[in-house]
Amino acid sequence: MAQDALGNEVSRASDATLKGIDDFVSGFLGYEKKATNIIAAADGEPDSVLANAYAGFIWMLLETDGATRMASRYLKRATAAAAGANDRERMLVAQLDRWIAGDVPAVQAIGDELVARYPRDMASVKLHQYFSFNRGDAANMLRIAKVAEAQNVDNPYLHGMLAFGYEQMHDLEAAEREARLALRLKIKEPWAQHALAHVMLGTGRVAEGVEFLGEAQKTWVDLNSFMYTHNWWHKALFHISQGDNAAVFDAYDNHVWGIEPDLPQDQVGAVSLLARMEVAGMDVGNRWEEVADHMKGRARDTTLPFLTLQYLYGLARADRIEANHLMQAIEDRAATSANWDRVVWQEVALPAARGVLAHARGDHGATAKWLSVANPRMTEIGGSHAQRDLFGQLLLDAHLKLGNWAIAQQMLEMRRIWDPDGVPLNAALKLVDQQLGAAA
């Protein structure tokens, strides 16, 4: 029986299809464009269960409403051929079926068994982490990587996954250890580079972060647009802290926006960075309009709350009518959802949406009201600490514009713990201290 590059058995695949399967696994783990080669492989061999299951995964990873229709084509093929599949492949087909149905808890339950029985199936470890990340479940991200650890001590991608899991659990020492081990095994391991950037951001090592990512970017060849733009997004955050506005604009204009402007992660990366740039006092010109032009199709997109909130903010900052439509879609989702994610839409995403929409439209009183409700539970919408910090910055900005100086002072002093030399932060703190001094 054929095997993939990691030693997992494949029931049916020609040499060309097996190459497509290996491209998917290594590309998925390494965030490389070649992962999409699985589409052609599946189309070339419709009876290959694994190739068609993985092709369905690729479509679902696009994180858009229309992806389920395309993924269903490959699920139908994989299901029709499943009689000749091995157990691992049949479990992957079952995962795809539950994913398309929106039953994420079932997907992860199958994933638990997959990783326990086939710990060398690193794509399943990665996929499990992906779902935990989107649910804000950092403990589960770390747990599943540790299940596979003993069988993958020589695998740099496993150590990159461990690094990010540790970082999201606030164990920064372990995160840095695992990230550096991954990079010793493979210098081009962008997820480990990304995890180490998180560690440096969370410990105020801003100059070191700029230097590290400046060197790492030499390896960002053939990456998919998400990983390329996201690591540049991280570099831009360091430049914002340094007050190096020219470097921030260079990162945004040449590396964060415009690579694949119709993809969700590229869009939210642009929205998130533009918002931070404005909070830091930069004039972003007409950049909101360009991003909004590519987000018009998001007017009813409630695929993931983390993405939806940023679509909403970007559309509203560009003063697009689609922002109203998306806000209504969020209201509807919160009112009608009966699935496993009902609570997060009703109790977190809905007040957060009201808050970000208010901020985008300059209603800072409503921003402070609604984000104060949502922010203590924002972990539940998914995303990383660094990404969710956007909502904390919007709340802080609202308090500053409302003249709530004492509240702003406490928020700024807390932020100064991990960004002690931040130029925008210390400028805001100086203003607050002046206002409080004048009042006293």
Side-chain angles (χ1 to χ4, degrees):
M1 185 174 286
Q3 293 183 337
D4 69 14
L6 295 175
N8 299 292
E9 291 187 350
V10 180
S11 63
R12 173 171 179 160
S14 66
D15 289 345
T17 302
L18 190 61
K19 173 66 164 57
I21 289 168
D22 285 337
D23 281 350
F24 169 78
V25 173
S26 60
F28 182 42
L29 294 173
Y31 294 88
E32 293 183 338
K33 297 174 184 177
K34 66 181 178 180
T36 61
N37 293 346
I38 193 63
I39 299 292
D43 289 343
E45 192 167 355
D47 292 336
S48 172
V49 174
L50 187 58
N52 281 275
Y54 281 161
F57 285 5
I58 279 287
W59 279 106
M60 293 302 293
L61 287 164
L62 287 179
E63 300 174 330
T64 61
D65 289 334
T68 56
R69 178 177 56 84
M70 294 300 298
S72 294
R73 293 175 49 191
Y74 293 95
L75 172 63
K76 184 177 180 179
R77 285 185 190 169
T79 302
N86 60 45
D87 285 347
R88 183 177 74 95
E89 292 168 334
R90 281 192 289 269
M91 292 168 71
L92 290 167
V93 174
Q95 273 195 312
L96 179 58
D97 175 74
R98 291 296 82 208
W99 192 356
I100 291 172
D103 189 355
V104 172
V107 175
Q108 289 201 279
I110 297 168
D112 282 332
E113 185 179 354
L114 271 165
V115 176
R117 291 176 59 183
Y118 309 102
R120 291 289 291 180
D121 183 354
M122 292 297 295
S124 287
V125 182
K126 187 70 172 177
L127 190 67
H128 200 292
Q129 276 205 336
Y130 165 82
F131 285 110
S132 294
F133 178 76
N134 285 338
R135 300 177 71 179
D137 190 351
N140 213 24
M141 289 177 62
L142 181 58
R143 179 194 65 80
I144 200 66
K146 290 182 74 66
V147 169
E149 183 176 11
Q151 297 297 317
N152 295 280
V153 293
D154 58 343
N155 191 302
Y157 301 118
L158 185 280
H159 293 288
M161 286 186 263
L162 283 168
F164 192 58
Y166 278 121
E167 191 278 330
Q168 290 295 287
M169 288 294 291
H170 306 284
D171 189 344
L172 302 188
E173 182 177 346
E176 182 158 357
R177 179 191 69 235
E178 292 294 334
R180 292 196 182 280
L181 174 55
L183 294 173
R184 285 197 296 273
L185 291 168
K186 184 179 178 67
I187 190 64
K188 184 189 178 183
E189 209 299 73
W191 197 242
Q193 294 167 348
H194 160 262
L196 193 50
H198 271 265
V199 171
M200 292 175 178
L201 186 69
T203 51
R205 292 150 61 185
V206 172
E208 185 182 356
V210 170
E211 182 179 3
F212 168 69
L213 290 180
E215 187 65 26
Q217 73 189 56
K218 298 173 184 177
T219 70
W220 298 344
V221 179
D222 297 325
L223 298 184
N224 62 32
S225 66
F226 161 69
M227 196 74 263
Y228 179 83
T229 60
H230 189 63
N231 274 347
W232 269 100
W233 178 90
H234 270 280
K235 192 166 186 284
L237 298 192
F238 289 126
H239 290 309
I240 289 175
S241 177
Q242 290 179 320
D244 189 347
N245 292 359
V248 178
F249 277 109
D250 173 69
Y252 178 88
D253 290 334
N254 298 307
H255 304 287
V256 173
W257 178 244
I259 306 302
E260 292 283 352
D262 292 322
L263 294 184
Q265 292 290 348
D266 290 43
Q267 292 170 358
V268 300
V271 168
S272 177
L273 185 52
L274 286 177
R276 285 168 164 82
M277 291 163 71
E278 288 193 327
V279 167
M282 297 178 222
D283 181 353
V284 302
N286 64 354
R287 289 174 176 82
W288 284 115
E289 286 69 24
E290 184 179 358
V291 176
D293 285 342
H294 289 272
M295 293 199 303
K296 290 183 290 186
R298 307 295 180 199
R300 301 289 303 177
D301 193 332
T302 58
T303 303
L304 292 171
F306 173 73
L307 301 178
T308 298
L309 291 174
Q310 291 171 92
Y311 299 150
L312 179 65
Y313 191 81
L315 290 168
R317 282 296 296 119
D319 197 25
R320 296 297 172 85
I321 190 65
E322 288 86 0
N324 293 340
H325 300 159
L326 185 52
M327 187 67 225
Q328 185 60 57
I330 295 167
E331 298 269 4
D332 294 344
R333 179 71 182 262
T336 62
S337 178
N339 295 329
W340 57 273
D341 57 354
R342 174 182 57 83
V343 170
V344 71
W345 281 103
Q346 290 183 351
E347 299 181 11
V348 187
L350 179 57
R354 291 170 176 164
V356 301
L357 184 61
H359 188 278
R361 292 175 170 170
D363 184 348
H364 301 297
T367 302
K369 173 185 176 180
W370 291 112
L371 286 185
S372 294
V373 171
N375 274 12
R377 293 179 58 183
M378 287 300 276
T379 300
E380 297 173 51
I381 71 166
S384 69
H385 305 315
Q387 290 173 312
R388 291 190 304 269
D389 185 51
L390 168 66
F391 306 104
Q393 291 196 35
L394 297 181
L395 177 57
L396 171 59
D397 186 63
H399 281 305
L400 287 167
K401 290 190 166 67
L402 289 167
N404 294 336
W405 307 118
I407 296 173
Q409 183 187 54
Q410 291 302 305
M411 294 178 73
L412 286 162
E413 289 292 0
M414 182 65 71
R415 298 181 68 82
R416 195 159 63 156
I417 293 172
W418 69 84
D419 190 20
D421 302 315
V423 173
L425 186 151
N426 281 288
L429 193 56
K430 180 178 180 180
L431 170 65
V432 168
D433 289 343
Q434 289 172 343
Q435 294 294 329
L436 289 173

